[in-house]
């Protein structure tokens, strides 16, 4: 599947759906070709076998062989004080089993990345970034609110960010940013007892944050950040039946205040550590009057990552995140009448990348997520999500490479949501110009 060797890292960093992103966590993945000319074009042809392409529960799995064709084009224009970038990636995925069943055998994905980086002066820098993704399978999307289930249709997410960095002095700097996240699922046919994904997850989220950074030592910096987010669920559909009336999509509208402190430490030339810890104050201000639960809750937040580069091109990264995430169920507690509000998700992830020979590189990725429901019929009930990937890539020339790999997914079942296991093996060849 497309870029599978990187799927689990992005899933670990973002969880199934972290409530907010930050501009300083985004970095375009430039290739070596990008550094030598303003444009690059690549294409990947990959064969695969997926034993559960529908992400169905065990006992209902349907496997299929297939192939992927994924071209990508990028244009990066460095100017005197400005860098402009544009990248488009297309994915076509063919499933033989669906052809045999007489259904549409093809999935298509689109991803567009745009960025503008401008230095106004030696002390002022601004960035504009936008990522648009349209996909059906969560394994084909880097979107942070992607469900762990396949969903038919052109499911869309767009994340746009504006940020401004200012160097106040040799020791102090500030960051100011705004981000809009727009999510739209095609699946909009549901009913109160089983609302659609659109009813549960379509949203327009607006976030803003400001941070103060202090460079205490050349290898040690401290940060203080305040973030304000507003989640507006836009589907305007019934998502549940309470003891005194109906819940609608916007019943879960949310305002979040997050205060966090961070530190970045370069312990050695090879080891760097970034740690954020804070508290999130969540206000579900639009709960109807018949819902008697408190609209306000407080939970910890964290983002910790350590990277060790033991040889050039060889590294180990481990990390942990703690955050609140949107949830695809609204199950109402029949006794208290309370609505399910969100999930609290803890994610552990690790990546190992090792250059076995000058042309052969191996990588291992792993991710574990532990989530619990906040309020509703499944209050406190856990769900586990495991992923694992292994990949070997061989560069025949600077322009031609091949790789083989295997990915494993396992999602445990809960009362509210189904679980499944999934195994994918693949082999591909990529040409870059």
């Amino acid at each position: 599947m497309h870029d599978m060797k990187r799927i689990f890292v992005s899933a670990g960093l973002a969880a199934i759906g972290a409530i907010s992103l930050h501009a300083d966590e985004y970095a375009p993945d430039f290739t070596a070709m990008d550094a030598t000319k303003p444009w690059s074009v690549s294409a990947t042809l990959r064969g695969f076998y997926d034993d559960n392409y529908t992400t169905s529960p065990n006992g209902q799995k349907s496997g299929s062989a297939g192939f992927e064709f994924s071209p990508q084009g990028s244009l990066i224009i460095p100017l005197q004080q400005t860098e402009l970038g544009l990248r488009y990636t297309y994915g076509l995925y063919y499933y033989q089993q669906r052809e045999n069943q007489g259904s549409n055998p093809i999935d298509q994905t689109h991803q567009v990345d745009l960025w503008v980086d401008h230095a106004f002066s030696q002390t002022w820098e601004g960035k504009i970034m936008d990522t648009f993704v349209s996909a059906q399978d969560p394994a084909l999307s880097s979107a942070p609110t992607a469900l762990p289930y396949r969903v038919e249709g052109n499911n869309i997410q767009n994340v746009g960010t504006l940020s401004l960095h200012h160097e106040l002095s040799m020791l102090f700097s500030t960051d100011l940013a705004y981000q809009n996240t727009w999510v739209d699922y095609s699946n909009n046919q549901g009913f109160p007892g089983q609302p659609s994904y659109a009813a549960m997850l379509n949203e327009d989220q607006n976030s803003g944050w400001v941070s103060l950074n202090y460079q205490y030592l050349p290898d040690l910096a401290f940060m203080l950040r305040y973030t304000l987010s507003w989640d507006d669920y836009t589907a305007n559909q019934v998502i549940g039946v309470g003891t005194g009336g109906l819940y609608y999509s916007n019943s879960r509208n949310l305002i979040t205040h997050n205060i966090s402190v961070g530190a970045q430490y370069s312990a050695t030339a090879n080891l760097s550590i970034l740690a954020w810890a804070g508290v999130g104050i969540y206000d579900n201000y639009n709960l109807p009057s018949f819902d008697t639960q408190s609209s306000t809750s407080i939970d910890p937040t964290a983002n910790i990552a350590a990277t060790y580069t033991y040889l050039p091109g060889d590294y180990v990264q481990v990390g942990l995140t703690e955050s609140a995430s949107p949830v695809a169920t609204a199950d109402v507690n029949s006794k208290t009448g309370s609505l399910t509000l969100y999930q609290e998700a803890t994610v552990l992830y690790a990546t190992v990348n090792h250059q076995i020979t000058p042309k052969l590189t191996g990588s291992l990725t792993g991710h574990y997520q532990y989530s619990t429901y906040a309020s509703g019929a499944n209050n406190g009930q856990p769900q586990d999500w495991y992923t694992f990937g292994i990949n070997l890539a061989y560069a025949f020339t600077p322009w031609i490479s091949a790789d083989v790999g295997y990915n494993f997914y396992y999602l445990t079942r809960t009362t509210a949501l189904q679980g499944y296991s999934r195994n994918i093996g693949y082999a591909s060849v990529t040409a870059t110009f």
Side-chain angles (χ1 to χ4, degrees), residues 49-64:
Y49 182 80
D50 185 340
D51 78 342
N52 190 10
Y53 65 90
T54 60
T55 62
S56 299
N58 293 339
Q60 303 176 29
K61 297 167 66 170
S62 182
S64 178

Side-chain angles (χ1 to χ4, degrees), residues 258-339:
N258 184 273
I259 301 173
S260 56
V261 294
Q264 187 163 11
Y265 179 47
S266 298
T268 68
N270 299 331
L271 176 62
S272 62
I273 301 171
L274 174 65
W276 284 94
V279 60
I281 304 171
Y282 307 104
D283 181 13
N284 291 91
Y285 65 92
N286 210 36
L287 285 173
S289 59
F290 58 80
D291 189 318
T292 58
Q293 68 178 310
S294 173
S295 63
T296 303
S297 59
I298 300 176
D299 287 301
T301 62
N303 188 347
I304 302 170
T307 303
Y308 176 62
T309 303
Y310 54 93
L311 288 172
D314 299 339
Y315 64 87
V316 177
Q317 183 184 58
V318 295
L320 176 146
T321 66
E322 176 80 19
S323 64
S325 302
V327 62
T329 180
D331 291 358
V332 177
N333 188 313
S334 59
K335 295 181 180 179
T336 65
S338 63
L339 179 72

Side-chain angles (χ1 to χ4, degrees), residues 16 18 21 38 41 56 90 93 114 154 208-209 238 252 255 264 316 355 364 371 419:
I16 290 178
L21 300 173
V41 177
S56 299
Y90 170 75
Y93 306 86
L114 168 69
N154 296 318
W209 61 92
V238 176
R252 296 202 302 179
I255 291 177
Q264 187 163 11
V316 177
Q355 190 169 349
L364 295 171
S371 302

